[in-house]
Amino acid sequence: MQTDTDGAALREAAALIKKGEAVAFPTETVYGLGADGLNGAAVRKIFEAKGRPSDNPLILHIAGKKDILKLTSGLTKQAEILIDKFWPGPLTVIVAKSGIVPDEVSAGLDTVAVRMPSHPVAAELIRLAGTPIAAPSANISGKPSPTDAETVLADMQGRIAGIVDGGACEVGVESTIVDTTGEVPVILRPGGITREQLEEVLGKVELDPALAGVEAAKPKAPGMKYRHYAPKASMYVVEGEALAKLPLLAKEAANFAPVAVICGEVAESMQRTQNLHILNWGSAKTDLAVKLYRMLRRCDKLGVQLIFSEGVTEDGIGLAVMNRMRKAAGRQVLTLDEIEALLKNSSQLKSFVLK
Ligand code: TXA
Ligand code: MG
């Protein structure tokens, strides 16, 4: 079943969820794959459809702020502030869980992730289903999250009971996850609500050290340890002063194999050729957020050998975007010195491209 979002379609989707089936639906961040969050057997269907490791817990989506109260054994002051200020919206809070949350949802942790989405279709679906909806992003595990219904279909056709088509997602990267159970709130995953917005209402906010790529640090959001968002081609982030040499590097590299460049500002100095694909997000970071996942999937379709991606500064939504971009690149970066060395030696460049 693929439906648009009229009342009958939403009622049908809600009925499927009540019956224990898994249905994809739009949120303001990315598409989710939802099932009855209080029904362990229904939740297991999500893990099966995605091929998701069972040690990776899910977010429960609710339609009213008060609905969190039966899912938690108690909220800290920080959690209350965040809920009051940012719900409905792209913010997930980690709270102490109550006895009604199935182990399938929390993957055995004593906490649970909860979010109240602002997308009207998501809100109405949850309301009609009459239960919290457990939902990860609606992609096959390891692929970029889907930001439109066509992409959900490409991954999930034949694996789930239905898709509610609500058009393209507005934010494009997932919700910000904040652990509110400790002394100081900790960002476990940057997302649609920025660090600056959080600091404005909370004062001090920490970043999970694992986000900085600290090797020894084990991420507190289990899902952040997996190699996510990865395109098939080898990918490098280029940023800062190194960007000046990106157009030349891309042009020379494309002599040896098909290359894609994901870029904003440098797009105007780039020249498209048969072997050089320019994926231009525009000028605003918010546009990069909206388009990044779709561009990564586009690179797979184009069958390029190599992807260069223009990095942006990590303020505002830039923190979330660069977190996803660096993960997609497996943390590979090219510095100005490295680019200059490659440009000086054509056989070295060739083996770099073809390796
Ligand atoms: O924007 C979003 O958050 C989207 C939409 C569909 O709402 N959902 C989403 O879900 O991104 P998912 O499953 O792809 O990512 C949820 C992340 C995972 O990294 C998971 O490990 C973490 O949240 N998580 C869930 N419960 C947790 C908990 N109790 N403690 C720490 N991390 C948790
Ligand atoms: Mg996901």
Side-chain angles (χ1 to χ4, degrees):
M1 177 194 79
Q2 186 178 4
T3 69
D4 57 20
T5 55
D6 65 29
L10 273 179
R11 278 196 297 279
E12 198 183 338
L16 285 168
I17 288 189
K18 281 190 201 169
K19 260 180 35 194
E21 297 297 332
V23 175
F25 64 99
T27 82
E28 69 278 23
T29 57
V30 300
Y31 271 72
L33 176 57
D36 181 347
L38 300 182
N39 173 345
V43 170
R44 282 199 293 277
K45 289 188 184 165
I46 296 176
F47 285 87
E48 271 162 38
K50 282 182 58 96
R52 180 177 175 107
S54 60
D55 68 347
N56 193 3
L58 303 180
I59 298 172
L60 288 179
H61 296 69
I62 57 178
K65 291 185 185 183
K66 291 206 172 72
D67 296 344
I68 193 174
L69 297 176
K70 63 174 193 273
L71 304 174
T72 180
S73 59
L75 295 175
T76 58
K77 184 76 194 146
Q78 307 149 10
E80 281 171 3
I81 293 171
L82 291 176
I83 289 167
D84 185 52
K85 175 80 185 173
F86 296 112
W87 278 8
L91 178 80
T92 296
V93 290
I94 305 291
V95 298
K97 75 168 191 174
S98 74
I100 68 164
V101 177
D103 279 341
E104 284 86 350
V105 168
S106 54
L109 298 174
D110 52 13
T111 54
V112 63
V114 186
R115 133 166 153 85
M116 178 178 169
S118 63
H119 196 298
V121 172
E124 184 63 2
L125 179 66
I126 301 162
R127 202 186 60 76
L128 289 171
T131 183
I133 295 186
S137 48
N139 50 286
I140 298 276
S141 235
K143 287 212 190 179
S145 298
T147 55
D148 55 45
E150 292 71 33
T151 309
V152 176
L153 201 62
D155 272 16
M156 290 296 163
Q157 194 157 33
R159 293 169 174 258
I160 61 176
I163 302 175
V164 181
D165 184 348
C169 299
E170 211 182 300
V171 180
V173 292
E174 299 86 346
S175 62
T176 304
I177 302 179
V178 180
D179 183 354
T180 65
T181 61
E183 193 89 331
V184 179
V186 185
I187 299 175
L188 305 189
R189 178 178 74 181
I193 297 291
T194 65
R195 180 185 195 167
E196 293 85 345
Q197 284 176 292
L198 295 171
E199 282 170 345
E200 209 167 286
V201 296
L202 291 173
K204 191 171 159 61
V205 179
E206 276 170 8
L207 268 186
D208 186 349
L211 292 173
V214 179
E215 284 296 325
K218 182 171 171 245
K220 291 208 194 72
M224 296 295 278
K225 72 173 179 271
Y226 295 106
R227 181 159 184 243
H228 253 147
Y229 320 118
K232 290 180 193 134
S234 180
M235 176 168 163
Y236 291 84
V237 175
V238 179
E239 55 196 332
E241 56 174 12
L243 282 172
K245 294 280 178 190
L246 178 56
L248 184 58
L249 174 68
K251 178 171 168 263
E252 295 296 322
N255 288 327
F256 304 112
V259 170
V261 184
I262 295 176
C263 55
E265 257 165 41
V266 302
E268 63 187 48
S269 350
M270 308 267 321
Q271 230 178 347
R272 198 177 301 266
T273 64
Q274 211 191 345
N275 248 359
L276 181 56
H277 303 274
I278 318 286
L279 310 184
N280 178 3
W281 77 71
S283 53
K285 278 183 210 173
T286 45
D287 294 330
L288 173 57
V290 168
K291 290 180 187 154
L292 180 63
Y293 288 150
R294 226 170 306 152
M295 287 181 167
L296 293 173
R297 284 185 182 249
R298 175 105 184 101
C299 289
D300 281 350
K301 284 212 188 102
L302 290 168
V304 297
Q305 174 87 17
L306 194 60
I307 304 166
F308 298 117
S309 190
E310 176 179 343
V312 296
T313 55
E314 289 178 322
D315 52 323
I317 195 75
L319 186 66
V321 171
M322 289 312 294
N323 169 263
R324 311 307 194 270
M325 193 190 283
R326 290 190 208 287
K327 276 192 148 195
R331 301 206 168 273
Q332 301 188 104
V333 178
L334 279 179
T335 64
L336 181 60
D337 286 352
E338 286 164 340
I339 295 176
E340 279 174 343
L342 286 169
L343 287 172
K344 269 192 205 130
N345 184 331
S346 163
S347 70
Q348 216 182 322
L349 178 60
K350 183 175 178 184
S351 53
F352 171 79
V353 174
L354 296 178
K355 82 173 177 239

